[in-house]
């Protein structure tokens, strides 16, 4: 039965794509999820996997053609696909189930191979029949015993999110899972979340390991009725890989000495990380396809100029660079240091120049060695969330002209009110009473005085926001996240406190959805709970202001009464810091905003429910 291959939609704002290369030709065998063709869009270059196993019957759109999304670009004849093992009959129904219910065990092998592209790139591509035949046999058995399975896919957590990193599996192969029970945790550009199981059953297979980054809608696991036969499957692939490595090692050792000179070329091979960064710390924007081409040709992406959106390095950029400079450009910059001793050469016999160069090179190498030995410790890679935080903070520093103003605010009136009615208020409303809604209310009062604080920069214009969407920074054990209370100006005091508590609890339990961490217009951060006097927070882009709360401390303060007499009293003092973007907010506006905030808190007299 033929299966149409369509041009996928790589994002909500992308309506067409260009086929840059077909990786198979008509008549070739293809496996489900095996790379079939490459596309290029306005935002991303990507390899598109085959939707089913079989034989590529027809290519309807040639290379270089640009077509609309959902256009049929090829046809795979599923019935014409030969079996990878002797169990051909069970394999075809499993493939049919994969297309209809998304859970064929017989397709697990190719998908598992694709889940580790780094290994494929470094070790070279192996013939699919050699790699996947044992896995297909094992999965076929599991599928026949447990019936059709359910594929677990990487969900799309937002319109502009195209990939996610699996940070933790909450179940292991063979465990029973219930529908909607948390199955694994993911991290994306905007949110960390727990992903529930789509069905009840037994976790038959995990296709994407912890730490791997996969595109949305990629199959990461399979849930079926019987998981025991499939438990041997993860060991089968490593065993096969181990046998291949052992064979390659033996072949290398038995190779004649005349063949060995090819090994020094390994000195020029460079392993690039998944998220390459420039020398200034900024992330190099490129697709997995571009990074793979760079690895295969030993090209440093730092040297490749990007012509795509935001400096993104496209496939054409890397191919043009290779055509101009050739592969293995890494080895060429390393040559000049060896020529440095030559400028000292004086008229003397050549036999004396070589002994001079050697003593200079040896002390240099010896001096560099202790630098690493003198700094003991452990090198731990950043988590995906930490990398995103680092990117956003550096980006904000480069974007906004940060200025901070600090105000001392007498919170005695608020503190005494809270102490007086706290127990009754919490019993009546069923939630805790914190200082955050008082600060949020004061923030909105200040915005009514100076609306520029609740704005953003849009090119050469200023966007004044109609609603006040307050981001509340929440400290997590594994990082920081800023959920947003939207339309805060329309909430009562109780509603504001309830929303703040709810977002904080769901942030710590990874229950937030992408919409709840987007659309903020101004942010409040409260490091004061840890005891600092104040901090100087960084603005969250594209906002132009952030309000930081210090701790509340009892301090002696000079009080002037109505008659002008001074006295010293113990008051509850907090230091509030406004970080603002001096591109559009002047110091006078920022200070007047803070004066309004201070006056509101020091003279608080509103009903809090």
């Amino acid at each position: 039965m033929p299966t149409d291959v369509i041009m996928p939609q790589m994002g909500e704002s992308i309506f067409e794509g260009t086929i840059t290369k077909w990786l198979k030709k008509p008549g070739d065998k293809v496996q489900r999820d095996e790379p079939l063709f490459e596309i290029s869009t306005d935002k991303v270059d990507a390899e598109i996997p085959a939707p089913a196993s079989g034989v590529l019957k027809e290519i309807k759109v040639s290379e270089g053609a640009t077509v609309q999304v959902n256009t049929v670009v090829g046809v795979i004849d599923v019935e014409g696909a030969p079996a990878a093992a002797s169990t051909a009959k069970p394999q075809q129904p499993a493939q049919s189930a994969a297309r209809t219910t998304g859970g064929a065990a017989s397709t697990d092998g190719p998908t598992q191979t694709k889940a580790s592209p780094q290994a494929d790139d470094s070790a070279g591509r192996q013939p699919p029949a050699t790699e996947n035949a044992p896995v297909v046999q094992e999965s076929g058995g599991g599928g026949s015993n447990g019936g059709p399975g359910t594929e677990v896919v990487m969900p799309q957590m937002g319109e502009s999110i195209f990939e996610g990193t699996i940070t933790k599996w909450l179940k292991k192969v063979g465990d029973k899972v219930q529908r909607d029970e948390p199955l694994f945790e993911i991290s994306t550009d905007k949110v960390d979340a727990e992903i529930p199981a789509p069905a009840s059953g037994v976790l038959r297979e995990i296709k994407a390991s912890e730490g791997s980054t996969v595109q949305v809608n990629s199959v990461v696991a399979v849930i079926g009725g019987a998981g025991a036969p499939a438990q041997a499957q993860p060991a089968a692939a490593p065993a096969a890989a181990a046998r291949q490595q052992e064979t390659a090692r033996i072949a290398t050792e038995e190779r004649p000495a005349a063949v060995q000179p090819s090994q020094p070329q390994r000195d020029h091979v460079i392993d690039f990380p998944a998220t390459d960064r420039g020398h200034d710390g900024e992330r190099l924007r490129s697709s997995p396809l571009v990074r793979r081409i760079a690895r295969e040709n030993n090209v440093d992406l730092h040297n490749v100029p990007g012509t795509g959106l935001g400096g993104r390095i496209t496939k054409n950029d890397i191919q043009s660079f290779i055509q101009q400079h050739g592969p293995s450009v890494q080895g060429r910059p390393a040559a000049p240091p060896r020529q440095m001793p030559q400028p000292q050469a004086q008229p003397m016999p050549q036999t004396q120049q070589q002994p001079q160069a050697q003593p200079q090179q040896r002390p240099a190498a010896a001096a560099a060695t202790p630098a690493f030995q003198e700094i003991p410790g452990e090198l731990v890679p950043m988590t995906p969330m930490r990398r995103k935080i680092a990117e956003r903070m550096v980006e904000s520093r480069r974007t906004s002209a940060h200025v901070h103003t600090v105000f001392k605010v007498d919170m005695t009136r608020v503190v005494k009110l809270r102490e007086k009615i706290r127990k009754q208020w919490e019993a009546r409303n069923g939630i805790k009473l914190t200082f955050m809604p008082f600060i949020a209310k004061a923030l909105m009062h200040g915005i009514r005085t100076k609306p520029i604080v609740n704005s953003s920069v849009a090119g050469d214009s200023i966007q004044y926001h109609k609603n006040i969407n307050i981001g509340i920074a929440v400290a997590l054990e594994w990082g920081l996240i800023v959920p947003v209370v939207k339309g805060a100006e329309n909430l009562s005091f109780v509603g504001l406190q309830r929303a703040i508590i709810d977002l904080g609890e769901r942030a710590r339990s990874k229950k937030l959805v992408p919409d709840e961490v987007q659309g903020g217009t101004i942010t409040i951060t409260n490091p004061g709970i840890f005891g600092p006097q104040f901090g100087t927070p960084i603005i969250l882009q594209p906002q132009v202001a952030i309000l930081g709360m210090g701790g509340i401390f009892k301090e002696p303060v000079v009080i002037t009464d109505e008659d002008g007499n001074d006295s010293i009293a113990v008051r509850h003092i907090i230091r509030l810091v406004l970080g603002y973007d001096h591109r559009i907010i002047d110091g006078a506006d920022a200070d007047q905003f803070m004066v309004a905030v201070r006056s509101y808190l020091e003279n608080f007299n509103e009903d809090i429910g």
Side-chain angles (χ1 to χ4, degrees):
M1 183 174 66
T3 298
D4 290 337
V5 181
I6 64 172
M7 171 65 68
Q9 185 168 10
M10 302 301 292
E12 187 167 297
S13 59
I14 298 179
F15 305 103
E16 63 182 13
T18 301
I19 296 181
T20 56
K21 184 179 181 181
W22 280 95
L23 305 177
K24 299 287 184 178
K25 60 182 182 294
D28 286 353
K29 300 175 183 178
V30 296
Q31 299 290 334
R32 178 184 172 90
D33 291 330
E34 180 184 8
L36 183 58
F37 61 100
E38 298 174 359
I39 68 168
S40 177
T41 70
D42 292 342
K43 294 184 178 180
V44 66
D45 291 357
E47 289 181 342
I48 306 303
S53 300
V55 175
L56 182 58
K57 182 178 181 181
E58 180 183 3
I59 293 178
K60 293 181 175 288
V61 178
S62 59
E63 294 179 357
T66 300
V67 295
Q68 299 288 324
V69 298
N70 298 325
T71 301
V72 178
V73 299
V75 177
I76 294 176
D77 188 358
V78 180
E79 294 180 353
S86 59
T87 57
K89 293 183 179 180
Q91 183 176 357
Q92 292 180 0
Q95 292 171 349
S96 177
R99 294 194 306 273
T100 56
T101 62
S106 63
T107 62
D108 294 350
T111 306
Q112 188 174 9
T113 302
K114 190 176 184 294
S116 55
Q118 290 86 351
D120 292 344
D121 293 335
S122 60
R125 295 179 178 270
Q126 300 293 334
T130 303
E131 290 182 344
N132 300 326
V135 179
V136 170
Q137 290 176 354
E138 294 282 343
S139 299
S144 61
N145 293 337
T150 300
E151 291 181 342
V152 182
V153 301
M154 172 65 70
Q156 184 164 12
M157 301 300 292
E159 297 177 359
S160 59
I161 297 177
F162 306 108
E163 63 182 14
T165 300
I166 296 179
T167 56
K168 184 178 181 181
W169 280 98
L170 304 177
K171 299 287 185 178
K172 58 182 182 292
V173 174
D175 285 354
K176 295 181 180 179
V177 296
Q178 298 295 326
R179 180 183 177 89
D180 294 330
E181 180 184 7
L183 182 59
F184 61 100
E185 299 176 358
I186 68 169
S187 178
T188 69
D189 290 347
K190 296 182 177 179
V191 68
D192 286 7
E194 289 182 343
I195 305 304
S200 298
V202 175
L203 183 57
R204 180 184 298 167
E205 181 185 3
I206 293 177
K207 295 175 176 288
S209 60
E210 294 180 358
S212 60
T213 301
V214 297
Q215 293 186 352
V216 298
N217 297 326
S218 299
V219 179
V220 298
V222 176
I223 295 175
Q231 289 182 2
Q233 182 174 332
R243 287 194 297 270
Q244 292 178 359
Q245 293 177 359
E246 181 66 17
T247 303
R249 184 183 65 81
I250 295 174
T252 303
E253 293 176 353
E254 295 177 354
R255 189 177 301 168
V259 186
Q260 297 297 330
S262 62
Q263 293 182 355
Q265 294 180 359
R266 294 179 58 86
D267 294 339
H268 302 296
V269 178
I270 294 180
D271 186 17
F272 297 105
T275 54
D276 294 304
R277 297 180 183 275
H279 300 291
D280 56 358
E282 185 175 2
R283 179 175 179 175
L284 291 175
R285 300 185 178 184
S286 61
S287 66
L289 174 62
V290 170
R291 294 195 291 270
R292 190 199 72 189
I293 296 176
R295 282 194 297 268
E296 291 176 350
N297 293 274
N298 303 326
V299 174
D300 189 346
L301 288 178
H302 298 102
N303 301 325
V304 182
T307 61
L309 184 64
R312 185 182 187 87
I313 301 174
T314 65
K315 181 183 176 183
N316 291 334
D317 294 334
I318 184 66
Q319 289 180 338
S320 300
F321 185 86
I322 294 173
Q323 290 177 357
Q324 293 177 5
H325 303 280
S328 302
V329 299
Q330 229 61 33
R332 299 172 186 174
R338 298 180 180 272
Q339 301 174 0
M340 291 180 64
Q342 293 181 0
Q344 298 183 9
Q346 297 178 356
M348 59 180 61
Q350 295 181 355
T351 57
Q352 296 180 0
Q353 291 182 0
Q354 294 179 356
Q356 283 184 351
Q358 293 177 356
Q360 292 183 5
Q361 291 179 356
R362 290 172 183 172
T369 303
F372 297 95
Q373 296 178 351
E374 293 175 356
I375 310 177
E378 182 182 5
L379 183 64
V380 179
M382 292 185 184
T383 63
M385 173 177 276
R386 178 51 55 191
R387 290 199 300 267
K388 296 300 183 297
I389 293 174
E391 286 180 24
R392 300 290 169 81
M393 295 300 98
V394 174
E395 175 190 4
S396 182
R397 276 294 189 182
R398 291 174 179 161
T399 302
S400 297
H402 279 72
V403 181
H404 295 84
T405 183
V406 185
F407 272 62
K408 289 176 64 175
V409 179
D410 188 345
M411 290 284 287
T412 304
R413 188 181 184 93
V414 172
V415 170
K416 289 185 176 180
L417 173 64
R418 178 173 176 268
E419 290 176 351
K420 180 180 179 180
I421 67 170
R422 180 178 177 181
K423 291 183 179 180
Q424 298 89 335
W425 191 93
E426 292 181 350
R428 182 168 60 251
N429 295 289
I431 52 177
K432 288 185 177 181
L433 178 58
T434 68
F435 288 106
M436 186 64 75
F438 293 96
I439 302 297
K441 282 289 186 179
L443 175 78
M444 290 185 282
H445 176 74
I447 290 174
R448 285 189 285 269
T449 303
K450 287 295 177 181
I452 187 69
V453 177
N454 191 53
S455 65
S456 58
V457 178
D460 294 332
S461 303
I462 300 174
Q463 175 70 48
Y464 288 86
H465 301 296
K466 178 181 178 181
N467 298 109
I468 302 176
N469 301 333
I470 304 177
I472 306 294
V474 178
L476 308 172
E477 293 182 1
W478 55 91
L480 178 73
I481 197 168
V482 186
V484 179
V485 179
K486 297 187 176 179
E489 76 279 4
N490 300 319
L491 298 177
S492 64
F493 186 94
V494 176
L496 190 59
Q497 176 71 94
R498 199 181 301 277
I500 292 170
I501 292 177
D502 174 65
L503 289 172
E505 290 178 349
R506 289 193 289 116
R508 295 182 184 92
S509 60
K510 300 183 179 181
K511 301 296 184 182
L512 293 173
V513 297
D515 185 63
E516 292 172 327
V517 294
Q518 302 178 46
T521 59
I522 191 169
T523 298
I524 299 176
T525 179
N526 182 22
I529 59 177
F530 303 110
Q533 293 286 333
F534 64 90
T536 54
I538 297 177
I539 299 168
L540 181 62
Q541 298 298 319
Q543 302 167 23
V544 295
I546 181 171
L547 184 67
M549 299 169 55
I552 300 178
F553 302 95
K554 289 182 180 181
E555 298 180 6
V557 178
V558 176
I559 303 297
T560 304
D561 60 20
E562 296 178 356
D563 298 329
N565 299 318
D566 292 339
S567 61
I568 297 177
V570 176
R571 311 291 289 181
H572 293 83
I573 301 299
I574 187 174
R575 286 161 179 81
L576 298 180
V577 181
L578 180 69
Y580 59 96
D581 190 344
H582 211 338
R583 293 181 299 168
I584 63 173
I585 301 178
D586 294 329
D589 292 328
D591 291 339
Q592 291 172 35
F593 167 84
M594 290 299 291
V595 167
V597 170
R598 181 180 62 186
S599 176
Y600 180 89
L601 291 170
E602 292 182 347
N603 301 283
F604 187 85
N605 61 356
E606 289 190 8
D607 178 27
I608 64 173

